[in-house]
């Protein structure tokens, strides 16, 4: 009698060795251990790259400020009387803005040349050149508590347009500009040594 033919249909589709290799595939696709344990702060090459990038960014800031300074010299319009120091100064400028669109446009050009690398920096530079700190103490955003409301002034529009005239902050929204205007006005009493004087008064012993 011949040998009974082997029944191939009952043989497993995969050998144990193949199954083991198949099970090992997902593991082989996972991130190498040397990458999962990578610590950027301890990699000297990465640290050197980051240091060089920071240096390049600082150099770009210097170059941009130099370019802004050059444009200020070339385009400086004929504007005088700023920063405003008294309420009368403010009233006169507001009256002129309301009737003279050319004057308002000249102010926008004048204040846009102060430069700045962020919205906050640009807004604060514009305001610092526009209003003295003494006058700023008599102003707040909405005009409450007996102060002047900057929100209703023509100079508010001058600030917003001046900020957007700066190429670096051209996309500044009115909301962003207003937020930094409010903060600058709130800090008026702290500038020019005001915070230090207040701290000294609070620390002084009562008589």
């Amino acid at each position: 009698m011949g040998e009974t033919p082997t029944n191939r249909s009952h043989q497993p589709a995969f050998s144990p060795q193949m199954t083991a290799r198949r099970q090992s595939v997902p593991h082989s696709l996972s991130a190498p251990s040397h990458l999962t344990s990578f610590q950027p702060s301890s990699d000297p090459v990465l640290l050197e790259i980051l240091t060089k990038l920071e240096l390049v960014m600082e150099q770009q800031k210097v170059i941009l400020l130099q370019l802004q300074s050059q444009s200020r010299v070339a385009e400086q319009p004929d504007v005088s009387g700023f920063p405003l120091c008294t309420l009368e100064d403010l009233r006169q400028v507001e009256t002129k803005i309301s009737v003279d669109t050319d004057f308002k446009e000249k102010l926008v050009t004048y204040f846009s040349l102060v430069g700045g690398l962020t919205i906050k920096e640009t807004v604060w530079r514009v305001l610092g050149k526009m209003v003295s700190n003494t006058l700023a103490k008599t102003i707040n955003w909405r005009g409450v508590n007996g102060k002047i409301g900057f929100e209703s002034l023509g100079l508010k529009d001058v600030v917003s347009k001046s900020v957007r005239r700066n190429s670096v902050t051209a996309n500044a929204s009115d909301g962003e500009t207003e937020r930094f205007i409010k903060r600058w006005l709130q800090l008026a009493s702290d500038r020019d040594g005001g915070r230090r004087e207040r701290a000294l008064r609070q620390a002084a012993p009562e008589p």
Side-chain angles (χ1 to χ4, degrees), residues 1 23 31 41-42 51 55 66 68 89 96 113 118 181 205 207:
M1 295 178 59
Q23 292 174 346
S41 60
S42 64
T51 301
L55 179 60
Q66 290 175 341
Q68 290 177 341
D89 293 339
K96 195 169 183 179
L113 297 176
T118 64
I181 292 174

Side-chain angles (χ1 to χ4, degrees), residues 8 48 71 87 103 106 122 130 183 187:
R8 298 181 181 275
E48 182 179 358
S71 67
L87 291 176
F103 175 69
K106 186 181 290 186
T122 305
M130 178 181 287
R183 187 56 180 159
L187 294 175

Side-chain angles (χ1 to χ4, degrees), residues 21 25-26 42 80-81 92 97-98 102 122 139 148 159 185 197 204:
R21 286 197 298 270
V25 169
S42 64
S80 60
Q92 290 180 2
I97 286 175
S98 65
D102 289 339
T122 305
I139 304 172
I148 301 166
V159 174
L185 292 171
E197 291 178 4

Side-chain angles (χ1 to χ4, degrees), residues 43-203:
D43 188 280
V45 176
L46 182 57
L47 285 174
E48 182 179 358
I49 292 173
L50 292 174
T51 301
K52 289 182 178 180
L53 284 175
E54 290 179 357
L55 179 60
V56 170
M57 292 176 65
E58 289 299 322
Q59 291 173 338
Q60 288 178 334
K61 288 181 181 180
V62 172
I63 293 172
L64 184 56
L65 288 173
Q66 290 175 341
L67 291 174
Q68 290 177 341
S69 178
Q70 291 174 2
S71 67
R72 288 196 292 271
V73 174
E75 303 175 21
Q76 188 77 32
D78 183 18
V79 173
S80 60
F82 291 92
L84 304 176
C85 296
T86 67
L87 291 176
E88 182 58 29
D89 293 339
L90 179 60
R91 292 191 187 98
Q92 290 180 2
V93 168
E94 283 294 307
T95 299
K96 195 169 183 179
I97 286 175
S98 65
V99 298
D100 189 343
T101 55
D102 289 339
F103 175 69
K104 183 176 181 179
E105 179 61 25
K106 186 181 290 186
L107 290 182
V108 171
T109 301
Y110 176 75
F111 289 111
S112 69
L113 297 176
V114 300
L117 299 177
T118 64
I119 298 173
K120 174 184 174 181
E121 181 183 6
T122 305
V123 170
W124 287 19
R125 284 190 177 197
V126 169
L127 290 170
K129 192 169 186 176
M130 178 181 287
V131 181
S132 70
N133 199 59
T134 300
L135 182 59
K137 292 177 183 178
T138 68
I139 304 172
N140 57 34
W141 180 250
R142 295 196 179 278
V144 296
N145 300 323
K147 294 189 175 184
I148 301 166
F150 198 87
E151 181 183 25
S152 61
L153 297 180
L155 285 176
K156 183 201 74 170
D157 193 41
V158 172
V159 174
S160 297
K161 290 183 177 180
S162 298
V163 172
R164 284 194 285 268
R165 189 73 63 85
N166 179 352
S167 60
V168 182
T169 56
N171 295 322
S173 67
D174 287 341
E176 290 173 310
T177 301
E178 290 173 7
R179 177 159 57 92
F180 292 121
I181 292 174
K182 292 175 184 177
R183 187 56 180 159
W184 187 85
L185 292 171
Q186 290 169 353
L187 294 175
S189 59
D190 286 345
R191 290 190 291 269
D192 296 341
R195 177 180 293 180
R196 176 179 171 79
E197 291 178 4
R198 186 166 60 253
L200 291 174
R201 287 197 301 269
Q202 294 173 349

